[in-house]
Structure formats: structure tokens, C-alpha cells
Amino acid sequence: MSAITALQKGDSLEPVTLEPVSRIDLIKYAGASGDYNPIHTIDEEAEKAGLPGIIAHGMWTMGNLAKLFTPYYEEGFIQNYSIRFKGMVFLGDVLTLHAVLEEDYEHEMAFNVQAVNQNEEAVIKGKVVFSRKVPTY
């Protein structure tokens, strides 16, 4: 792992590919988040809502994007996070997470982030501001 602070504008963090989305992932997320909307866990309810099948919680996908920054927690933290949902995530989808450094300021780094499915279709896009820890002496 290299230091996040060594990145230059246009550099990318190491992509993260998640395991295929499973029903148990979504059931666990429903329990943790309190979002028990059945379109995320019950096939028949998703179909009644006009969906082709169960879809993942958007916030589940968004939360997973933070995994890009987990290796760098000793260097700083996510200060701001803004996302636009671009597509649905279904059971069995394999998501790959990406981040590209857009701007590098004295104490903050702004990244363009996205998650793409196995067809390279973006399902979410956004920005993350990573705040560098200021050393204390």
C-alpha cells in the first residue's frame, strides 16, 4: 500500500472489487440500517413494485465506496461524501469501486468516485473529500 498523500492529480486509488451481491448482504444491511423495504429482500415484493428482482439499498452501495479509503485511515478521514445514484444493483452483480484524485489542496484531497457493475455500467458516481490528518507535535 502506498501513501494516499503521495498521489498526484489524476492518479487512482487501487480499485476494489466486491463479492457478488447476495441476499444475506442485503438482509444484514436492512437490519443494520433499519431500512426494511421488502424490495431489497423479498423477490415477490420487488416484482409487485415493477422491478425485475430484488435491488440493493442505494446506501449499501454508497457505504461500500468507503472501502476505497479504508487502507488510508491512518493518514486521514472522509470529510465529505456526495453521491448520485445512476443505476440499480441486483443480486449477483459484481461491483468494482474506483476513485481518481481530482484536486489536491493543502489539507484535503478531492476524489471522483464511482461504482461500476460487471458490465462497466456506473451505478453510483460522486465525490469524496479526504481530509489529511495534521500532525500533532
Side-chain angles (χ1 to χ4, degrees), residues 3-19:
I4 196 169
T5 53
L7 293 177
Q8 302 293 312
K9 187 174 176 181
D11 286 349
S12 299
L13 295 181
E14 188 68 31
V16 173
T17 300
L18 304 176
E19 294 293 318

mmCIF file of all heavy atoms in Angstrom, residues 3-19:
data_model
loop_
_atom_site.group_PDB
_atom_site.id
_atom_site.type_symbol
_atom_site.label_atom_id
_atom_site.label_comp_id
_atom_site.label_asym_id
_atom_site.label_seq_id
_atom_site.Cartn_x
_atom_site.Cartn_y
_atom_site.Cartn_z
ATOM 1 N N ALA A 3 1.196 5.527 0.172
ATOM 2 C CA ALA A 3 0.538 6.593 0.931
ATOM 3 C C ALA A 3 -0.424 7.346 0.026
ATOM 4 O O ALA A 3 -0.087 7.674 -1.113
ATOM 5 C CB ALA A 3 1.576 7.534 1.505
ATOM 6 N N ILE A 4 -1.599 7.626 0.539
ATOM 7 C CA ILE A 4 -2.588 8.371 -0.249
ATOM 8 C C ILE A 4 -2.063 9.778 -0.511
ATOM 9 O O ILE A 4 -2.343 10.363 -1.559
ATOM 10 C CB ILE A 4 -3.963 8.382 0.466
ATOM 11 C CG1 ILE A 4 -5.064 8.808 -0.514
ATOM 12 C CG2 ILE A 4 -3.945 9.240 1.718
ATOM 13 C CD1 ILE A 4 -6.470 8.583 0.021
ATOM 14 N N THR A 5 -1.282 10.302 0.415
ATOM 15 C CA THR A 5 -0.784 11.666 0.272
ATOM 16 C C THR A 5 0.283 11.781 -0.820
ATOM 17 O O THR A 5 0.634 12.879 -1.212
ATOM 18 C CB THR A 5 -0.214 12.162 1.612
ATOM 19 O OG1 THR A 5 0.747 11.219 2.079
ATOM 20 C CG2 THR A 5 -1.327 12.322 2.648
ATOM 21 N N ALA A 6 0.786 10.655 -1.332
ATOM 22 C CA ALA A 6 1.775 10.691 -2.409
ATOM 23 C C ALA A 6 1.110 10.765 -3.786
ATOM 24 O O ALA A 6 1.799 10.943 -4.796
ATOM 25 C CB ALA A 6 2.665 9.444 -2.336
ATOM 26 N N LEU A 7 -0.207 10.653 -3.831
ATOM 27 C CA LEU A 7 -0.901 10.686 -5.116
ATOM 28 C C LEU A 7 -0.796 12.063 -5.764
ATOM 29 O O LEU A 7 -0.732 13.079 -5.071
ATOM 30 C CB LEU A 7 -2.377 10.329 -4.937
ATOM 31 C CG LEU A 7 -2.704 8.901 -4.503
ATOM 32 C CD1 LEU A 7 -4.210 8.749 -4.300
ATOM 33 C CD2 LEU A 7 -2.208 7.896 -5.528
ATOM 34 N N GLN A 8 -0.806 12.064 -7.075
ATOM 35 C CA GLN A 8 -0.833 13.297 -7.861
ATOM 36 C C GLN A 8 -2.190 13.407 -8.548
ATOM 37 O O GLN A 8 -2.868 12.389 -8.766
ATOM 38 C CB GLN A 8 0.268 13.258 -8.933
ATOM 39 C CG GLN A 8 1.663 13.080 -8.384
ATOM 40 C CD GLN A 8 2.122 14.272 -7.576
ATOM 41 O OE1 GLN A 8 1.983 15.410 -8.024
ATOM 42 N NE2 GLN A 8 2.638 14.028 -6.379
ATOM 43 N N LYS A 9 -2.570 14.607 -8.904
ATOM 44 C CA LYS A 9 -3.828 14.841 -9.602
ATOM 45 C C LYS A 9 -3.926 13.886 -10.803
ATOM 46 O O LYS A 9 -2.976 13.763 -11.582
ATOM 47 C CB LYS A 9 -3.895 16.297 -10.063
ATOM 48 C CG LYS A 9 -5.201 16.700 -10.644
ATOM 49 C CD LYS A 9 -5.200 18.192 -10.940
ATOM 50 C CE LYS A 9 -6.482 18.591 -11.625
ATOM 51 N NZ LYS A 9 -6.494 20.033 -11.931
ATOM 52 N N GLY A 10 -5.053 13.184 -10.912
ATOM 53 C CA GLY A 10 -5.264 12.223 -11.997
ATOM 54 C C GLY A 10 -4.919 10.791 -11.622
ATOM 55 O O GLY A 10 -5.281 9.859 -12.342
ATOM 56 N N ASP A 11 -4.208 10.603 -10.507
ATOM 57 C CA ASP A 11 -3.878 9.253 -10.040
ATOM 58 C C ASP A 11 -5.119 8.581 -9.462
ATOM 59 O O ASP A 11 -6.031 9.249 -8.977
ATOM 60 C CB ASP A 11 -2.797 9.284 -8.951
ATOM 61 C CG ASP A 11 -1.410 9.597 -9.493
ATOM 62 O OD1 ASP A 11 -1.235 9.577 -10.731
ATOM 63 O OD2 ASP A 11 -0.517 9.879 -8.671
ATOM 64 N N SER A 12 -5.107 7.250 -9.475
ATOM 65 C CA SER A 12 -6.234 6.469 -8.961
ATOM 66 C C SER A 12 -5.831 5.693 -7.725
ATOM 67 O O SER A 12 -4.677 5.263 -7.602
ATOM 68 C CB SER A 12 -6.700 5.454 -10.006
ATOM 69 O OG SER A 12 -7.127 6.105 -11.167
ATOM 70 N N LEU A 13 -6.790 5.506 -6.849
ATOM 71 C CA LEU A 13 -6.600 4.550 -5.757
ATOM 72 C C LEU A 13 -6.733 3.152 -6.350
ATOM 73 O O LEU A 13 -7.334 2.973 -7.415
ATOM 74 C CB LEU A 13 -7.662 4.737 -4.674
ATOM 75 C CG LEU A 13 -7.639 6.050 -3.904
ATOM 76 C CD1 LEU A 13 -8.751 6.050 -2.852
ATOM 77 C CD2 LEU A 13 -6.292 6.263 -3.230
ATOM 78 N N GLU A 14 -6.209 2.174 -5.642
ATOM 79 C CA GLU A 14 -6.340 0.786 -6.078
ATOM 80 C C GLU A 14 -7.834 0.432 -6.110
ATOM 81 O O GLU A 14 -8.526 0.577 -5.102
ATOM 82 C CB GLU A 14 -5.606 -0.124 -5.096
ATOM 83 C CG GLU A 14 -5.505 -1.553 -5.533
ATOM 84 C CD GLU A 14 -4.605 -1.757 -6.736
ATOM 85 O OE1 GLU A 14 -3.630 -0.989 -6.908
ATOM 86 O OE2 GLU A 14 -4.893 -2.686 -7.508
ATOM 87 N N PRO A 15 -8.360 -0.017 -7.277
ATOM 88 C CA PRO A 15 -9.784 -0.387 -7.324
ATOM 89 C C PRO A 15 -10.087 -1.537 -6.355
ATOM 90 O O PRO A 15 -9.214 -2.348 -6.043
ATOM 91 C CB PRO A 15 -10.001 -0.852 -8.768
ATOM 92 C CG PRO A 15 -8.854 -0.309 -9.532
ATOM 93 C CD PRO A 15 -7.710 -0.187 -8.570
ATOM 94 N N VAL A 16 -11.322 -1.577 -5.895
ATOM 95 C CA VAL A 16 -11.786 -2.639 -5.010
ATOM 96 C C VAL A 16 -12.952 -3.343 -5.695
ATOM 97 O O VAL A 16 -13.921 -2.689 -6.088
ATOM 98 C CB VAL A 16 -12.254 -2.074 -3.649
ATOM 99 C CG1 VAL A 16 -12.891 -3.164 -2.794
ATOM 100 C CG2 VAL A 16 -11.097 -1.403 -2.924
ATOM 101 N N THR A 17 -12.836 -4.657 -5.872
ATOM 102 C CA THR A 17 -13.934 -5.435 -6.445
ATOM 103 C C THR A 17 -14.607 -6.215 -5.321
ATOM 104 O O THR A 17 -13.950 -6.956 -4.592
ATOM 105 C CB THR A 17 -13.424 -6.388 -7.540
ATOM 106 O OG1 THR A 17 -12.820 -5.609 -8.571
ATOM 107 C CG2 THR A 17 -14.568 -7.202 -8.132
ATOM 108 N N LEU A 18 -15.913 -6.017 -5.198
ATOM 109 C CA LEU A 18 -16.690 -6.664 -4.138
ATOM 110 C C LEU A 18 -17.108 -8.066 -4.572
ATOM 111 O O LEU A 18 -17.186 -8.362 -5.770
ATOM 112 C CB LEU A 18 -17.932 -5.838 -3.822
ATOM 113 C CG LEU A 18 -17.701 -4.372 -3.425
ATOM 114 C CD1 LEU A 18 -19.044 -3.663 -3.232
ATOM 115 C CD2 LEU A 18 -16.852 -4.271 -2.178
ATOM 116 N N GLU A 19 -17.426 -8.893 -3.611
ATOM 117 C CA GLU A 19 -18.024 -10.196 -3.891
ATOM 118 C C GLU A 19 -19.391 -9.954 -4.518
ATOM 119 O O GLU A 19 -20.005 -8.903 -4.314
ATOM 120 C CB GLU A 19 -18.186 -10.988 -2.585
ATOM 121 C CG GLU A 19 -16.881 -11.376 -1.927
ATOM 122 C CD GLU A 19 -16.100 -12.381 -2.749
ATOM 123 O OE1 GLU A 19 -16.725 -13.321 -3.290
ATOM 124 O OE2 GLU A 19 -14.868 -12.219 -2.867
#
